[in-house]
Structures are given as C-alpha cells and as structure tokens.
Amino acid sequence: EAAVTQSPRNKVAVTGGKVTLSCNQTNNHNNMYWYRQDTGHGLRLIHYSYGAGSTEKGDIPDGYKASRPSQENFSLILELATPSQTSVYFCASGDPGENTLYFGAGTRLSVL
Amino acid sequence: QQKVQQSPESLIVPEGGMASLNCTSSDRNVDYFWWYRQHSGKSPKMLMSIFSNGEKEEGRFTVHLNKASLHTSLHIRDSQPSDSALYLCAASIPGGNYKPTFGKGTSLVVHP
C-alpha cells in the first residue's frame, strides 16, 4: 500500500521558535498536501505542491511556509511558532488518477 | 474558496441500526466527492468515492449523489461498534487543480 511517513510524531515547541515538520512519500505521487486538524474544524489545507520545486498556498497559509525539494519530500515550516498553531498536522499524497489521498500518521504539535 | 458542509455534527445509533450522514458543497464546479473514515487517534482513510448521479453500494455502505443539488449522503446499514469514527466528506473540482476540500466531519457513535 502507498506509504506516507511523517516526522516527528510529537513535538513541543516554544512560542517564537522555528518548527519544521517533515513528510516523505514512496508513492511517486506528484501531488502532496499539508492539512491541520482541529476539533470543530475538520481538515484544513495549509499548503500543497504539484511536484518538486513547486508550492502553492492552500486555504489557511498565514504563518506557514512549505518546501518541496524532491518528489518524495515535502516540509512544513513554522518560522515563528505561536500557540494558535497547536494542532495535529497531516501530510498526504495523491494524484487524480488514483482517486484517493494517502495520509501520514500525523504530527501532534504543541506550542507553549 | 469552496465550502463543504456536513450534517449532523454527531450521531448516535444502536448496534444493528442505520446511520445516515449528509454532505453538501457550495461550489457548482465540484464534480467529485469522497467519504473518508477516521478512527480516534488515526489518520483518515478513504471509504468510498462517487462522481456520477445515483447510488453506489459496497457491502454495508451506500453512497448517493445528486449533482444538481451538490448533495451526497452516506448510509451505513447494520452499524457495528467498529464503525464508530469521524466521517469526513471531501469534494474537488475537475481539472489540474486537484486539492480536495474537507468538511468538518460527522462523529458517529454506535453503541452495543
């Protein structure tokens, strides 16, 4: 089955610090996505990418950057973390022809 | 930014009963819907997808789609305690801009 691996699985950060969440996929999908999940909000799209070197803003990009250095890797960067960014973050990969997104296990981030 | 609305927010059904979940998109360009299931502490996994008007059945699960009203529904018959989960509806527009938008979800509890 398609594999998406996120690291770290849990992270505690301080306000104002820099946080990098990493995602690796072995599915050879062109498209990769970062979502955050909060109670009462479902999954909200932060950034996505159509291939190496490309990043696009999703619905809630403020306070986040993304980087896609290769087909396999997609990172989410919080340059100045704030407590409002405390959440569970999911990375996903998927192409239209496959008819589904494959999600990683998630990263639980707490910003204190 | 298209919106995906799900109802009800939460649902409790007895074991063996029928669960019915609803989802509507606000974007008339949407042509594809998915239903994902997310067990507590896990990542979402695709359950069913539909893009044609009508009905699709897989085991105990049936999905309906009315493209004119942009409404889809998921019905689970003979509900089991293992069906207890968060059910997320997602929608996408056609073409190269493949970025599924998710609703807030319906939390289903099946009690023995």
Side-chain angles (χ1 to χ4, degrees):
Chain A
E1 180 169 297
V4 179
T5 305
Q6 292 183 232
S7 62
R9 290 294 314 278
N10 293 280
K11 173 77 177 176
V12 178
V14 296
T15 298
K18 182 176 180 178
V19 176
T20 300
L21 306 183
S22 300
C23 179
N24 175 276
Q25 57 113 349
T26 59
N27 312 318
N28 198 31
H29 288 148
N30 290 322
N31 296 359
M32 294 187 74
Y33 308 83
W34 277 106
Y35 290 91
R36 65 177 281 179
Q37 185 172 38
D38 305 285
T39 304
H41 288 280
L43 286 167
R44 292 182 289 173
L45 183 64
I46 306 170
H47 284 288
Y48 59 105
S49 168
Y50 292 133
S54 94
T55 60
E56 306 287 339
K57 292 181 180 179
D59 299 323
I60 53 164
D62 293 346
Y64 302 94
K65 287 185 181 179
S67 173
R68 182 89 181 268
S70 65
Q71 179 82 340
E72 297 79 19
N73 295 296
F74 190 36
S75 298
L76 186 68
I77 303 147
L78 292 66
E79 295 276 6
L80 294 168
T82 68
S84 65
Q85 293 174 313
T86 293
S87 187
V88 178
Y89 291 84
F90 285 101
C91 175
S93 75
D95 286 339
E98 287 224 30
N99 188 33
T100 184
L101 294 183
Y102 296 93
F103 285 85
T107 294
R108 185 171 296 276
L109 173 66
S110 295
V111 183
L112 306 177
Chain B
Q1 169 184 338
Q2 69 142 321
K3 296 220 182 288
V4 175
Q5 308 274 10
Q6 291 188 244
S7 64
E9 287 187 15
S10 61
L11 183 62
I12 301 174
V13 300
E15 184 174 358
M18 171 77 86
S20 295
L21 293 68
N22 298 292
C23 173
T24 304
S25 171
S26 63
D27 188 336
R28 296 224 62 85
N29 295 310
V30 161
D31 76 334
Y32 221 113
F33 288 90
W34 295 263
W35 285 95
Y36 282 77
R37 182 166 68 180
Q38 184 180 23
H39 286 110
S40 181
K42 303 293 186 183
S43 58
K45 286 192 166 46
M46 202 269 286
L47 196 58
M48 292 183 74
S49 64
I50 190 163
F51 62 92
S52 297
N53 263 330
E55 175 181 301
K56 184 175 174 182
E57 182 177 328
E58 291 181 5
R60 298 183 293 110
F61 299 87
T62 302
V63 172
H64 292 270
L65 175 61
N66 180 327
K67 294 190 87 168
S69 60
L70 295 175
H71 177 263
T72 179
S73 57
L74 172 68
H75 305 273
I76 308 172
R77 62 175 172 81
D78 188 24
S79 297
Q80 301 298 307
S82 58
D83 294 327
S84 297
L86 181 68
Y87 288 79
L88 294 159
C89 176
S92 184
I93 61 175
N97 192 14
Y98 178 64
K99 54 176 186 119
T101 298
F102 286 81
K104 295 182 180 181
T106 293
S107 177
L108 173 65
V109 173
V110 181
H111 65 83

